[in-house]
Amino acid sequence: MAFIKKKERSKERFSLLLLDLEEYYFEQHTAYQLNSKNTAQKRKNRGSLKICSKSIIFEPEQIAEPILKIPLRDCKQIEGVEENDRNPFNEGRPAGIFIECQQVYFIKESNVVGPYRIERGGSSFFFQLEVSRKTEDVVQTLLQLHRASCLDKLGDQTAMIAANLQSRLARTSFDKNSFQSVSEKPHMECEAEMVTPLVTNPGHVCITDQNLYFQPLNGYPEQVVQIMLHSVRRIYKRRHGLRPLGLEVFCTENDLCSDIYLKFYNTKDRDELYYYIATFLENHMVEHTAESYMLQWQRGHISNYQYLLHLNNLADRSCNDLSQYPVFPWVIADYTSPELDLLNPLSFRELGKPVGALNRERLERLLARYRDMPDPKFMYGSHYSSPGYVLFYLVRVAPEYMLCLQNGRYDHADRMFNSIAETWKNCLEGATDFKELIPEFYGSDPSFLENSPGLNLGKRQGGKMVGDVVLPPWASDIGQFLLKSQQALESQYVSEHLHEWIDLIFGFRQRGSEAVAAHNVFHPLTYEGGIDCDSIEDPDQKIAMLTQILEFGQTPKQLFSSPHPQRITPKFQCMSRTPSQNASLSELSPVSPSEDSSFEDLTEESKKLSWSNMTKLKLVSSHKIHKEAITGIAVTRSGTSVFTTSQDSTLKMFSKESSTLQRSMSFSNMALSSCLMLPEDATVVCSSWDNNVYFYSIAYGRRQDTIMGHDDAISKMCWRDNQLFTASWDSTVKVWRCVSTDITSNKRSQFELLAEFEHDAGVNTINLNQAGTLLASGSKEGAVSIWDTTNFVLLHQVQCHSGTIHDIAFSPDSRHVLSAGEDRSLRVVDVQTGMLISTVTADEQQRCFCWDGNTVLSGDQSGDLLVWDLMAAKVTEKIPGHSGGVTAMWMNEQCSSIITGGEDKQILFWKPQY
């Protein structure tokens, strides 16, 4: 519906929708129709004569007069008539064009949109051009196009018309007088077609350093369409007719319909224009991926509606291409109750099944046919989205589109979109009806549901005229219907299950064995790559194939090849913090509030406040306390004492209150790689490149215990519930039982090895989730591994980076893992599915970071602190810090105090400013 408003550029009655599908409008001439053989009633009818590739159209100036459309294939005679020559109307007339035909269409009689009236039998027409010297050229053009339309083979017809078009384009060029400024510098010019629903309009494209222009060959609907480059917000490459020839440009961030859709004659021109615009925009336009939108959706930053629109866009669905119109799901299954209960799961459709599989009895019949079918097999003979289905829903606001698609007729009245409940029932029970919905069912304009123009859409059995769409009992009017549909789409149930439908339409269940298992197999021609049209040599066969593809509907481009993660909804925040041994992964991840909810609420508010002001970090103090790079930071609960390790092999104790160095300890002559504080603030644990772990007693001021546990340097440690996790370059992570009270009381500790996690390469970093139920590890070869620590099994291994992973951490809700690598990228992995869902590239390596799931504070190789907005995939603040790489970072629980360590041997204390 958005595309209809977008294209209403003038009030003239003619539109390209009056042409046949795949027909071109070449030129127009002001002309007079002499429409009476009776000399006593002779009358001149002034109007516009349109020369099209398959027809002649005459649009009279008098709006009460019908538009005439004369198909060239039905013409028996076309000739120029000179003065005193055989003129059927009157002798002594100026030169004109005489046409005799067997069929003519009368359109918009009395200026009313309705089915075309067809007059069959012999008819003759005489047109006199206002510029008579053009008559001979027009006649020659019509004769040439008439010859093309009368060729036996469709392929030959198409080839001859295409040659005519290319000849016209070659004889013309973009008029540079149309430039908005004399200072504009043109970059490239080429031929292309502007695409709108059901029609394409050929012309010339020109792009300059300031604007993108399209100049239609026929000057319709405007002499030139201009797009200012600095106003462009999004651009997408498109496949049009299954070929990579399309480019769509949006000047608004959230609009459903683009500002221009261009189809090029070769991919090279399309790509050159795309990269020119992309380069122009790279400083102020973020290129979003399916994964980046997924991350925003998962965390509730965009709605279900917005996410589906973005996925449709990325999957080549466009409002300008009805064979690839955006597809949305039926989500409501109850259209009979007086009230719609959005808390009852029975009110909703099963989103994990395609429409064709919702009715078990019908599915059994379809499967029986499928089993007996020769290859290539398919379960459904029609698609869930096609031009016919789109216009079925929109006929009341887009009647001319329906008439264009169906050769001047509406569908039978009983097959029209008469009732929501009837349509849903037919989708469940009909032998060939498997259609989904369109975005308008969840939008803001309900006009497609009422026949406000008073269109004569036919009479149903029983004598009732087709009027407004009959709503379900729970909707008192069209506005309420849309409101409740929107509420249903954003409901808890749909938010929890929408990923299942995405798997079917855009994801891993779209094709292959998973599609077969999900009963989601459509005709091979509907899939991207299902057929290579360029490899078909027979032009007739190629055109027939393309026509079938365009009219049948197309499956979206596949965006995901592995299961789509579920959305994070409030329900998941209430699960147990201490899951059972048999708990599922989805139960392992979330963290519930503690018993002291008021204290936790305050902590959460403090965190939100701190992260919202992270761009205003202020340096409080700096202290150079080591002789080499800092490798680890640990702080007592009170925040008064700070312990640091360094490559200089020492553990230092620094008093924050007095800003003085209080202790310096050395355990070996090799670098210490990390440190952590045990509960009760009594013991500091240090890891070393000498393969050992050292326990330092703060109270006694000496080394208390040692674990000699690895065959290579220990890189990082984590602690949770009397378990110590040690990562090593020997390609293992080991889990040790260490009773903290025994260590604190100076007893001789028994370190029991509980588990050993094997890796393919040295492990450089590890991190535990907040509940201690999951461990993430990052290797020297760029692999992220996610482990279940309740039963010590590997859940996922994802190759994320092309080099060493410097740092890794779970989001606070344990749904995602963020890693920073030697390849200068930050990458987000979904914990539930193991899918890599977001990648952000930095200018330099990010060595360490903290994050809240949305915002990242990282330290880079140059010593700066960077604040990242992961949703927008960009740096929002760059804060000067160390004079060398930032190598360690610590943040308190309230996120209100940050300490960083660097290669410059310093520790820096930071505070967000409120």
PDB file of all heavy atoms in Angstrom, residues 657-680:
ATOM      1  N   GLU A 657      43.429   4.415  48.545  1.00  0.00           N
ATOM      2  CA  GLU A 657      43.189   5.538  49.464  1.00  0.00           C
ATOM      3  C   GLU A 657      44.405   6.438  49.598  1.00  0.00           C
ATOM      4  O   GLU A 657      44.301   7.667  49.551  1.00  0.00           O
ATOM      5  CB  GLU A 657      42.781   4.986  50.839  1.00  0.00           C
ATOM      6  CG  GLU A 657      41.397   4.344  50.842  1.00  0.00           C
ATOM      7  CD  GLU A 657      41.026   3.803  52.213  1.00  0.00           C
ATOM      8  OE1 GLU A 657      41.950   3.478  52.983  1.00  0.00           O
ATOM      9  OE2 GLU A 657      39.826   3.693  52.502  1.00  0.00           O
ATOM     10  N   SER A 658      45.574   5.824  49.772  1.00  0.00           N
ATOM     11  CA  SER A 658      46.782   6.636  49.977  1.00  0.00           C
ATOM     12  C   SER A 658      47.586   6.846  48.697  1.00  0.00           C
ATOM     13  O   SER A 658      48.582   7.558  48.693  1.00  0.00           O
ATOM     14  CB  SER A 658      47.679   5.962  51.029  1.00  0.00           C
ATOM     15  OG  SER A 658      48.097   4.681  50.556  1.00  0.00           O
ATOM     16  N   SER A 659      47.120   6.174  47.589  1.00  0.00           N
ATOM     17  CA  SER A 659      47.826   6.271  46.303  1.00  0.00           C
ATOM     18  C   SER A 659      49.296   5.883  46.436  1.00  0.00           C
ATOM     19  O   SER A 659      50.184   6.532  45.871  1.00  0.00           O
ATOM     20  CB  SER A 659      47.704   7.686  45.700  1.00  0.00           C
ATOM     21  OG  SER A 659      46.372   7.961  45.359  1.00  0.00           O
ATOM     22  N   THR A 660      49.537   4.839  47.207  1.00  0.00           N
ATOM     23  CA  THR A 660      50.910   4.387  47.400  1.00  0.00           C
ATOM     24  C   THR A 660      51.018   2.896  47.102  1.00  0.00           C
ATOM     25  O   THR A 660      50.072   2.133  47.283  1.00  0.00           O
ATOM     26  CB  THR A 660      51.376   4.624  48.845  1.00  0.00           C
ATOM     27  OG1 THR A 660      50.488   3.941  49.744  1.00  0.00           O
ATOM     28  CG2 THR A 660      51.418   6.104  49.168  1.00  0.00           C
ATOM     29  N   LEU A 661      52.204   2.483  46.669  1.00  0.00           N
ATOM     30  CA  LEU A 661      52.496   1.077  46.463  1.00  0.00           C
ATOM     31  C   LEU A 661      52.863   0.477  47.813  1.00  0.00           C
ATOM     32  O   LEU A 661      53.786   0.928  48.477  1.00  0.00           O
ATOM     33  CB  LEU A 661      53.663   0.927  45.477  1.00  0.00           C
ATOM     34  CG  LEU A 661      54.066  -0.500  45.130  1.00  0.00           C
ATOM     35  CD1 LEU A 661      52.921  -1.239  44.429  1.00  0.00           C
ATOM     36  CD2 LEU A 661      55.310  -0.487  44.255  1.00  0.00           C
ATOM     37  N   GLN A 662      52.149  -0.583  48.247  1.00  0.00           N
ATOM     38  CA  GLN A 662      52.342  -1.121  49.580  1.00  0.00           C
ATOM     39  C   GLN A 662      53.141  -2.420  49.591  1.00  0.00           C
ATOM     40  O   GLN A 662      53.855  -2.706  50.548  1.00  0.00           O
ATOM     41  CB  GLN A 662      50.978  -1.342  50.261  1.00  0.00           C
ATOM     42  CG  GLN A 662      50.233  -0.023  50.491  1.00  0.00           C
ATOM     43  CD  GLN A 662      48.951  -0.226  51.274  1.00  0.00           C
ATOM     44  OE1 GLN A 662      48.273  -1.228  51.096  1.00  0.00           O
ATOM     45  NE2 GLN A 662      48.628   0.731  52.130  1.00  0.00           N
ATOM     46  N   ARG A 663      52.973  -3.258  48.536  1.00  0.00           N
ATOM     47  CA  ARG A 663      53.724  -4.503  48.518  1.00  0.00           C
ATOM     48  C   ARG A 663      54.147  -4.836  47.090  1.00  0.00           C
ATOM     49  O   ARG A 663      53.484  -4.457  46.131  1.00  0.00           O
ATOM     50  CB  ARG A 663      52.894  -5.673  49.050  1.00  0.00           C
ATOM     51  CG  ARG A 663      52.448  -5.552  50.487  1.00  0.00           C
ATOM     52  CD  ARG A 663      51.707  -6.819  50.909  1.00  0.00           C
ATOM     53  NE  ARG A 663      50.983  -6.623  52.156  1.00  0.00           N
ATOM     54  CZ  ARG A 663      50.201  -7.529  52.725  1.00  0.00           C
ATOM     55  NH1 ARG A 663      50.038  -8.711  52.143  1.00  0.00           N
ATOM     56  NH2 ARG A 663      49.570  -7.274  53.859  1.00  0.00           N
ATOM     57  N   SER A 664      55.224  -5.623  46.995  1.00  0.00           N
ATOM     58  CA  SER A 664      55.682  -6.147  45.716  1.00  0.00           C
ATOM     59  C   SER A 664      56.186  -7.559  45.956  1.00  0.00           C
ATOM     60  O   SER A 664      57.050  -7.783  46.814  1.00  0.00           O
ATOM     61  CB  SER A 664      56.794  -5.272  45.137  1.00  0.00           C
ATOM     62  OG  SER A 664      57.235  -5.801  43.899  1.00  0.00           O
ATOM     63  N   MET A 665      55.596  -8.545  45.244  1.00  0.00           N
ATOM     64  CA  MET A 665      55.936  -9.953  45.450  1.00  0.00           C
ATOM     65  C   MET A 665      56.365 -10.571  44.121  1.00  0.00           C
ATOM     66  O   MET A 665      55.833 -10.240  43.079  1.00  0.00           O
ATOM     67  CB  MET A 665      54.716 -10.727  45.968  1.00  0.00           C
ATOM     68  CG  MET A 665      54.241 -10.310  47.356  1.00  0.00           C
ATOM     69  SD  MET A 665      53.458  -8.669  47.419  1.00  0.00           S
ATOM     70  CE  MET A 665      51.970  -8.928  46.470  1.00  0.00           C
ATOM     71  N   SER A 666      57.321 -11.508  44.198  1.00  0.00           N
ATOM     72  CA  SER A 666      57.771 -12.206  43.008  1.00  0.00           C
ATOM     73  C   SER A 666      57.776 -13.698  43.306  1.00  0.00           C
ATOM     74  O   SER A 666      58.286 -14.133  44.341  1.00  0.00           O
ATOM     75  CB  SER A 666      59.176 -11.745  42.623  1.00  0.00           C
ATOM     76  OG  SER A 666      59.590 -12.391  41.431  1.00  0.00           O
ATOM     77  N   PHE A 667      57.171 -14.499  42.405  1.00  0.00           N
ATOM     78  CA  PHE A 667      57.064 -15.939  42.617  1.00  0.00           C
ATOM     79  C   PHE A 667      58.013 -16.727  41.719  1.00  0.00           C
ATOM     80  O   PHE A 667      58.354 -17.863  42.013  1.00  0.00           O
ATOM     81  CB  PHE A 667      55.627 -16.406  42.354  1.00  0.00           C
ATOM     82  CG  PHE A 667      54.606 -15.637  43.143  1.00  0.00           C
ATOM     83  CD1 PHE A 667      53.652 -14.862  42.500  1.00  0.00           C
ATOM     84  CD2 PHE A 667      54.599 -15.673  44.532  1.00  0.00           C
ATOM     85  CE1 PHE A 667      52.714 -14.153  43.215  1.00  0.00           C
ATOM     86  CE2 PHE A 667      53.659 -14.961  45.259  1.00  0.00           C
ATOM     87  CZ  PHE A 667      52.710 -14.187  44.605  1.00  0.00           C
ATOM     88  N   SER A 668      58.373 -16.161  40.594  1.00  0.00           N
ATOM     89  CA  SER A 668      59.317 -16.816  39.693  1.00  0.00           C
ATOM     90  C   SER A 668      59.952 -15.736  38.835  1.00  0.00           C
ATOM     91  O   SER A 668      59.629 -14.558  38.977  1.00  0.00           O
ATOM     92  CB  SER A 668      58.602 -17.846  38.810  1.00  0.00           C
ATOM     93  OG  SER A 668      57.880 -17.199  37.788  1.00  0.00           O
ATOM     94  N   ASN A 669      60.834 -16.129  37.965  1.00  0.00           N
ATOM     95  CA  ASN A 669      61.473 -15.128  37.104  1.00  0.00           C
ATOM     96  C   ASN A 669      60.774 -14.989  35.758  1.00  0.00           C
ATOM     97  O   ASN A 669      61.298 -14.382  34.840  1.00  0.00           O
ATOM     98  CB  ASN A 669      62.949 -15.484  36.898  1.00  0.00           C
ATOM     99  CG  ASN A 669      63.109 -16.855  36.247  1.00  0.00           C
ATOM    100  OD1 ASN A 669      62.121 -17.546  35.979  1.00  0.00           O
ATOM    101  ND2 ASN A 669      64.360 -17.238  36.013  1.00  0.00           N
ATOM    102  N   MET A 670      59.562 -15.561  35.652  1.00  0.00           N
ATOM    103  CA  MET A 670      58.797 -15.453  34.405  1.00  0.00           C
ATOM    104  C   MET A 670      57.564 -14.582  34.619  1.00  0.00           C
ATOM    105  O   MET A 670      57.116 -14.360  35.753  1.00  0.00           O
ATOM    106  CB  MET A 670      58.390 -16.843  33.903  1.00  0.00           C
ATOM    107  CG  MET A 670      59.577 -17.702  33.509  1.00  0.00           C
ATOM    108  SD  MET A 670      59.107 -19.187  32.626  1.00  0.00           S
ATOM    109  CE  MET A 670      58.638 -18.505  31.038  1.00  0.00           C
ATOM    110  N   ALA A 671      57.019 -14.111  33.530  1.00  0.00           N
ATOM    111  CA  ALA A 671      55.884 -13.178  33.582  1.00  0.00           C
ATOM    112  C   ALA A 671      54.682 -13.803  34.275  1.00  0.00           C
ATOM    113  O   ALA A 671      54.409 -15.001  34.146  1.00  0.00           O
ATOM    114  CB  ALA A 671      55.508 -12.763  32.164  1.00  0.00           C
ATOM    115  N   LEU A 672      53.969 -12.961  35.031  1.00  0.00           N
ATOM    116  CA  LEU A 672      52.656 -13.332  35.547  1.00  0.00           C
ATOM    117  C   LEU A 672      51.611 -12.870  34.527  1.00  0.00           C
ATOM    118  O   LEU A 672      51.722 -11.763  33.984  1.00  0.00           O
ATOM    119  CB  LEU A 672      52.403 -12.688  36.906  1.00  0.00           C
ATOM    120  CG  LEU A 672      53.378 -13.074  38.029  1.00  0.00           C
ATOM    121  CD1 LEU A 672      53.024 -12.364  39.325  1.00  0.00           C
ATOM    122  CD2 LEU A 672      53.402 -14.582  38.245  1.00  0.00           C
ATOM    123  N   SER A 673      50.619 -13.717  34.257  1.00  0.00           N
ATOM    124  CA  SER A 673      49.697 -13.431  33.146  1.00  0.00           C
ATOM    125  C   SER A 673      48.325 -12.935  33.566  1.00  0.00           C
ATOM    126  O   SER A 673      47.624 -12.310  32.770  1.00  0.00           O
ATOM    127  CB  SER A 673      49.525 -14.685  32.275  1.00  0.00           C
ATOM    128  OG  SER A 673      49.105 -15.775  33.065  1.00  0.00           O
ATOM    129  N   SER A 674      47.900 -13.225  34.817  1.00  0.00           N
ATOM    130  CA  SER A 674      46.586 -12.747  35.275  1.00  0.00           C
ATOM    131  C   SER A 674      46.502 -12.929  36.781  1.00  0.00           C
ATOM    132  O   SER A 674      47.329 -13.631  37.390  1.00  0.00           O
ATOM    133  CB  SER A 674      45.453 -13.522  34.593  1.00  0.00           C
ATOM    134  OG  SER A 674      45.376 -14.857  35.068  1.00  0.00           O
ATOM    135  N   CYS A 675      45.491 -12.303  37.385  1.00  0.00           N
ATOM    136  CA  CYS A 675      45.254 -12.471  38.818  1.00  0.00           C
ATOM    137  C   CYS A 675      43.779 -12.336  39.106  1.00  0.00           C
ATOM    138  O   CYS A 675      43.027 -11.740  38.338  1.00  0.00           O
ATOM    139  CB  CYS A 675      46.057 -11.458  39.625  1.00  0.00           C
ATOM    140  SG  CYS A 675      45.666  -9.726  39.278  1.00  0.00           S
ATOM    141  N   LEU A 676      43.344 -12.936  40.223  1.00  0.00           N
ATOM    142  CA  LEU A 676      41.958 -12.795  40.660  1.00  0.00           C
ATOM    143  C   LEU A 676      41.919 -12.856  42.179  1.00  0.00           C
ATOM    144  O   LEU A 676      42.824 -13.402  42.829  1.00  0.00           O
ATOM    145  CB  LEU A 676      41.057 -13.857  40.023  1.00  0.00           C
ATOM    146  CG  LEU A 676      41.371 -15.334  40.210  1.00  0.00           C
ATOM    147  CD1 LEU A 676      40.838 -15.883  41.524  1.00  0.00           C
ATOM    148  CD2 LEU A 676      40.778 -16.130  39.038  1.00  0.00           C
ATOM    149  N   MET A 677      40.863 -12.310  42.754  1.00  0.00           N
ATOM    150  CA  MET A 677      40.683 -12.239  44.192  1.00  0.00           C
ATOM    151  C   MET A 677      39.691 -13.310  44.622  1.00  0.00           C
ATOM    152  O   MET A 677      38.593 -13.408  44.073  1.00  0.00           O
ATOM    153  CB  MET A 677      40.148 -10.849  44.574  1.00  0.00           C
ATOM    154  CG  MET A 677      39.995 -10.620  46.061  1.00  0.00           C
ATOM    155  SD  MET A 677      41.563 -10.325  46.893  1.00  0.00           S
ATOM    156  CE  MET A 677      42.116  -8.862  46.045  1.00  0.00           C
ATOM    157  N   LEU A 678      40.060 -14.131  45.608  1.00  0.00           N
ATOM    158  CA  LEU A 678      39.124 -15.110  46.146  1.00  0.00           C
ATOM    159  C   LEU A 678      38.166 -14.420  47.118  1.00  0.00           C
ATOM    160  O   LEU A 678      38.469 -13.341  47.647  1.00  0.00           O
ATOM    161  CB  LEU A 678      39.879 -16.223  46.857  1.00  0.00           C
ATOM    162  CG  LEU A 678      40.759 -17.138  45.994  1.00  0.00           C
ATOM    163  CD1 LEU A 678      41.240 -18.335  46.813  1.00  0.00           C
ATOM    164  CD2 LEU A 678      40.028 -17.611  44.754  1.00  0.00           C
ATOM    165  N   PRO A 679      37.001 -15.061  47.397  1.00  0.00           N
ATOM    166  CA  PRO A 679      36.061 -14.472  48.357  1.00  0.00           C
ATOM    167  C   PRO A 679      36.735 -14.218  49.711  1.00  0.00           C
ATOM    168  O   PRO A 679      37.731 -14.848  50.057  1.00  0.00           O
ATOM    169  CB  PRO A 679      34.973 -15.550  48.475  1.00  0.00           C
ATOM    170  CG  PRO A 679      35.045 -16.326  47.213  1.00  0.00           C
ATOM    171  CD  PRO A 679      36.482 -16.307  46.804  1.00  0.00           C
ATOM    172  N   GLU A 680      36.164 -13.323  50.455  1.00  0.00           N
ATOM    173  CA  GLU A 680      36.677 -12.880  51.760  1.00  0.00           C
ATOM    174  C   GLU A 680      37.921 -11.989  51.633  1.00  0.00           C
ATOM    175  O   GLU A 680      38.516 -11.610  52.658  1.00  0.00           O
ATOM    176  CB  GLU A 680      37.006 -14.064  52.699  1.00  0.00           C
ATOM    177  CG  GLU A 680      35.808 -14.790  53.274  1.00  0.00           C
ATOM    178  CD  GLU A 680      35.230 -15.802  52.306  1.00  0.00           C
ATOM    179  OE1 GLU A 680      36.015 -16.570  51.702  1.00  0.00           O
ATOM    180  OE2 GLU A 680      33.998 -15.811  52.148  1.00  0.00           O
TER     181      GLU A 680
END
